[in-house]
Amino acid sequence: MKHSRREFLGTPASATIPLAAGAPNVEAAQIAQTTQATPAGTPLQDVVLTNGRIHTMDARNTVASSVTIRNGRIAAVGGNPPPGVKVVDLRGRTVVPGLIEGHVHIVSLANRPGYHTILENTTSIREIQETLAARRKSVPEGQWITSMGGWHPNQWTEHRHPTLKELDEAVPDRPVLLYERFTGPAVTNSTGKKLFDAMDAAAPVHPDVKKVAVSDSGAIAAAGFAGGGPSASALFHLRRMQTFEDKKRSTLDAMTYSASLGLTAHLDEVLFPTPGPLQPSQILSNLDQYRMYDSWIALHREERALVRMQMNFLQNQADPALPELKERLRNQFQFFGDDML
């Protein structure tokens, strides 16, 4: 079942409240007991959260020091708690309504090239076609419609990728690329095949790029985890086209999708680090570790970020003193860090 952000967060917001900054277990248990353990149909006891920074996520993005929770929703913002109501002292901690995702790669999703389209909820080729056709309505002429990484053909009744012809039926006038898992394989439509064929025929844009070599059915062979290959080359070409504004749009799309599911706080577990310029051998799970957060941070500074993110860094380093990681933590982000990031 799909839920809108408003359905999940309520009016003004839901009171499924994650204690997002490491609150003691006893406080988290009090909230969970009050909001979840009561039998269905039984009126829930009011709970007041106080002495914290509570992001209500209302229309004004109010940050309150106290709220009253009633029947799973925020009933009142601010004010003094009435006598006899259970009070939870947050001791200065941050609270965000909604659900916490404790292991996710949303920064990877935020960096997807093209107009990324969620296919994880589709169950057949027909539903893929319907989803892509609906997405096409908001995609400007000449822009790619993509879907990368989150789905697998086994979720579809046909247990296969759609063909070039089937993609043409859904989107005849925009290039489409569906890219499976980290390394492919992938599939494109007729418009995409023409563009990839032209790229293959032109002078190489990188000495290590391999031909995409789209088949007549639209299929693009998988790449390896190292050394590149046809699907990685297709990904490389699309990543080369991305502007910073494109990345901000994709990041906002990822945040919006997250909020629509009620996921309002994430612990991002990063990607395999590949520092340096974009390369044809990089697969979907590779991004420049120093630049992959730029669009998220930009939206946060513009006060357009919708969800909270905490990030972990993955650092491949043989020296147990971790000198590279320590310098990265000191210097990668400047003037960085608050309740939401």
Side-chain angles (χ1 to χ4, degrees):
M1 179 180 294
K2 298 179 181 178
H3 299 276
S4 71
R5 180 174 184 267
R6 180 170 296 276
E7 287 172 332
F8 230 110
L9 299 181
T11 306
S14 168
T16 306
I17 306 287
L19 288 163
N25 289 339
V26 63
E27 295 174 351
Q30 286 175 334
I31 294 171
Q33 181 181 17
T34 303
T35 58
Q36 297 176 15
T38 305
T42 303
L44 297 180
Q45 179 183 359
D46 286 359
V47 177
V48 173
L49 307 181
T50 188
N51 191 24
R53 289 183 53 79
I54 304 163
H55 290 254
T56 65
M57 292 190 171
D58 64 6
R60 294 174 294 176
N61 200 25
T62 302
V63 180
S65 61
S66 67
V67 297
T68 301
I69 309 299
R70 179 175 300 142
N71 295 332
R73 298 188 181 276
I74 294 177
V77 177
N80 296 320
V85 173
K86 181 182 290 186
V87 177
V88 177
D89 186 350
L90 299 172
R91 301 176 191 172
R93 289 168 172 81
T94 297
V95 168
V96 180
L99 304 177
I100 292 177
E101 172 54 69
H103 183 127
V104 72
H105 301 273
I106 192 169
V107 174
S108 175
L109 177 62
N111 278 272
R112 295 286 195 265
Y115 281 72
H116 184 76
T117 307
I118 300 296
L119 295 181
E120 284 83 335
N121 302 319
T122 56
T123 61
S124 67
I125 300 295
R126 180 60 182 167
E127 288 187 7
I128 295 171
Q129 291 176 313
E130 292 170 351
T131 303
L132 293 175
R135 180 61 156 157
R136 178 247 171 265
K137 298 175 182 178
S138 62
V139 176
E141 183 178 356
Q143 296 293 315
W144 285 78
I145 299 174
T146 60
S147 186
M148 300 183 175
W151 47 264
H152 191 280
N154 284 349
Q155 75 188 60
W156 300 322
T157 302
E158 297 83 358
H159 297 289
R160 62 171 176 83
H161 291 170
T163 64
L164 176 146
K165 180 179 178 182
E166 289 167 333
L167 292 179
D168 282 348
E169 291 171 356
V171 185
D173 58 351
R174 303 286 189 274
V176 175
L177 180 67
L178 309 186
Y179 184 108
E180 181 184 333
R181 294 179 285 180
F182 289 166
T183 61
V187 63
T188 189
N189 64 348
S190 294
T191 307
K193 176 174 167 53
K194 290 178 183 178
L195 293 172
F196 284 133
D197 287 349
M199 294 172 190
D200 285 348
V205 294
H206 190 284
D208 298 330
V209 70
K210 296 177 171 59
K211 291 186 181 300
V212 179
V214 181
S215 74
D216 290 340
S217 67
I220 301 171
F225 273 88
S231 285
S233 293
L235 177 63
F236 171 71
H237 288 307
L238 265 64
R239 281 176 167 173
R240 286 185 67 246
M241 299 176 194
Q242 270 187 301
T243 66
F244 189 61
E245 288 303 314
D246 290 334
K247 291 183 179 181
K248 287 170 64 177
R249 172 183 46 75
S250 290
T251 301
L252 195 58
D253 280 352
M255 293 179 182
T256 302
Y257 177 67
S258 170
S260 77
L261 301 177
L263 298 174
T264 56
H266 296 274
L267 174 57
D268 187 81
E269 299 290 2
V270 81
L271 300 169
F272 303 120
T274 53
L278 186 64
Q279 305 168 28
S281 62
Q282 291 169 330
I283 54 177
L284 193 63
S285 55
N286 295 144
L287 285 169
D288 184 344
Q289 63 191 12
Y290 295 103
R291 306 314 302 266
M292 60 191 288
Y293 304 101
D294 287 358
S295 55
W296 194 294
I297 292 172
L299 289 172
H300 174 258
R301 288 174 176 166
E302 295 169 11
E303 299 184 348
R304 297 170 63 195
L306 303 177
V307 297
R308 183 180 195 269
M309 184 175 71
Q310 178 182 351
M311 63 187 72
N312 281 347
F313 285 167
L314 175 63
Q315 192 79 23
N316 295 330
Q317 195 171 3
D319 187 340
L322 301 175
E324 181 182 347
L325 177 58
K326 288 177 180 177
E327 290 306 311
R328 182 180 174 197
L329 292 173
R330 290 188 185 105
N331 296 290
Q332 180 166 357
F333 304 120
Q334 298 197 4
F335 311 112
F336 160 76
D338 63 11
D339 290 350
M340 296 297 288
L341 184 61

